[in-house]
Amino acid sequence: MKNPLAFLLFAGATAMPWSASAMNILLSNDDGLSANAKALKSALEAAGHNVVMSVPCQNQSGKGAAINFLTPIVPLAKACVGSAASAGAPGLGPISGLNDAYYVDGTPIMALMYGLDVVAPQRWSGAPDLIISGPNEGQNLGSIVISSGTVSNAQFALTRGIPAIAVSADINTTKNDALAAEVAVLTVQLVEKLDSRRPGKPPLPKGYALNVNYPKFELGQSSMLPWTVTRFGNFDSMDVHFVADLSTDPIAASYGLGNVHLPGVAVSVHTADEANPTTDRKSEALKSLQGYITLTPMENGYQVSSMEAIQLTAYLKKALKAK
């Protein structure tokens, strides 16, 4: 068949029943040792995968692809989040109580690079089959992804030629083991679907990654969430802007900054009702607000437009019954 899209659909319809294969997976994030990270590591291992975790010592949300070049990593001035390590411990090392888990006192990319350049070669004698960044404590939708450490980790993986998935959940999963476990189950299901896409080959087409966002859900509702394939689009659920006086910003005030008369960066939140006739209805932020799990294919540079992306979109829709 000359049409790759037709071939993919034909192959999906005639493929043998799915059979999972163990993958070597590097797990990182920008939040540090979180409930989401621990739950996903456990779920992936229970599914038979080999997992190495390498996360920042401190919460590094909003750091994007920042790297502290040629800066020695010294002993910790304070304890890592999630009790990954105590003050005075080396600036990087194993996390006590977790197998194949490490912390790095640096940016998200630095933590990922430690896993890629130091741990993975020792553990697997080579690169991982897949990198998963997250699940983040908070969604990464629309234009905010350019500052996201979660998404930047996936982008960095693409520069190394490794398939990657950036995963983000609602802020309500923070320190919530039960919700984190449900997010982990959904993520393992996605990994299994991708693993079955091309048996014996990488779980994603070469040069492509996914930005995955779970909408807010209550305990026990995750299995009912629909999947949809989206674009970054032109709708943002969050507007980031600089203000001369943080005390004038309602959200800043809700974070205890109502009396802080100093400049800074603030945010405002949009609702689905603010979408107008010119809004791209496949925008991931809009679909997330409508309760969908959003799957946004991306290449190095975020947006995709090639035939490989069309094939991947078609597969995701079929495999996950996504709209």
Side-chain angles (χ1 to χ4, degrees):
M1 297 181 182
K2 294 184 178 180
N3 186 329
L5 177 57
F7 172 77
L8 180 72
L9 295 175
F10 175 79
T14 60
M16 294 294 290
W18 165 76
S19 176
S21 58
M23 284 192 287
N24 296 334
I25 298 175
L26 176 58
L27 178 61
S28 192
N29 67 8
D30 68 0
D31 294 317
L33 187 59
S34 63
N36 277 328
K38 290 186 288 186
L40 182 55
K41 184 176 187 295
S42 178
L44 288 168
E45 290 171 338
H49 300 291
N50 307 307
V51 183
V52 164
M53 174 193 287
S54 183
V55 297
C57 170
Q58 304 297 337
N59 188 310
Q60 295 285 301
S61 293
K63 299 298 183 182
I67 300 173
N68 301 329
F69 289 100
L70 302 176
T71 303
I73 299 177
V74 300
L76 301 176
K78 62 179 181 179
C80 297
V81 297
S83 300
S86 302
L92 59 80
I95 298 174
S96 178
L98 288 176
N99 293 326
D100 294 320
Y102 302 86
Y103 68 89
V104 177
D105 192 21
T107 67
I109 294 292
M110 293 169 67
L112 176 64
M113 283 196 295
Y114 179 67
L116 271 176
D117 297 336
V118 179
V119 182
Q122 295 174 350
R123 181 72 166 78
W124 300 315
S125 300
D129 299 313
L130 176 68
I131 288 174
I132 300 178
S133 181
N136 192 59
E137 297 172 336
Q139 296 163 328
N140 284 297
L141 298 158
S143 62
I144 200 171
V145 300
I146 61 175
S147 63
S148 166
T150 303
V151 178
S152 291
N153 274 350
Q155 285 283 309
F156 185 84
L158 291 181
T159 70
R160 295 289 187 95
I162 302 171
I165 308 173
V167 181
S168 301
D170 191 80
I171 195 70
N172 71 342
T173 61
T174 304
K175 297 182 179 179
N176 190 319
D177 292 340
L179 288 178
E182 294 197 37
V183 167
V185 168
L186 290 170
T187 305
V188 170
Q189 290 175 354
L190 174 61
V191 169
E192 290 174 346
K193 291 293 186 182
L194 294 174
D195 191 27
S196 69
R197 177 175 177 267
R198 297 190 296 178
K201 297 182 180 180
L204 288 166
K206 183 175 177 59
Y208 293 91
L210 287 178
N211 184 37
V212 179
N213 281 270
Y214 300 114
K216 184 176 182 178
F217 62 86
E218 301 303 324
L219 192 62
Q221 294 182 347
S222 60
S223 63
M224 297 180 288
L225 296 173
W227 302 75
T228 188
V229 184
T230 55
R231 297 184 286 265
F232 286 103
N234 63 358
F235 184 85
D236 279 322
S237 57
M238 184 179 295
D239 174 51
V240 182
H241 51 276
F242 202 97
V243 294
D245 186 340
L246 282 169
S247 68
T248 64
D249 183 82
I251 293 182
S254 71
Y255 276 79
L257 300 174
N259 294 318
V260 178
H261 300 284
L262 293 170
V265 176
V267 297
S268 59
V269 177
H270 298 158
T271 67
D273 293 336
E274 294 179 71
N276 58 51
T278 64
T279 298
D280 180 354
R281 297 293 158 171
K282 294 298 289 185
S283 294
E284 57 176 5
L286 180 59
K287 300 304 288 187
S288 180
L289 287 171
Q290 294 170 344
Y292 287 90
I293 302 172
T294 61
L295 304 158
T296 307
M298 59 181 179
E299 59 186 355
N300 194 10
Y302 301 106
Q303 192 57 62
V304 294
S305 57
S306 69
M307 183 56 70
E308 280 279 10
I310 295 172
Q311 292 178 345
L312 177 58
T313 295
Y315 172 77
L316 291 169
K317 287 182 176 181
K318 184 177 181 65
L320 295 164
K321 296 182 174 59
K323 298 181 178 180

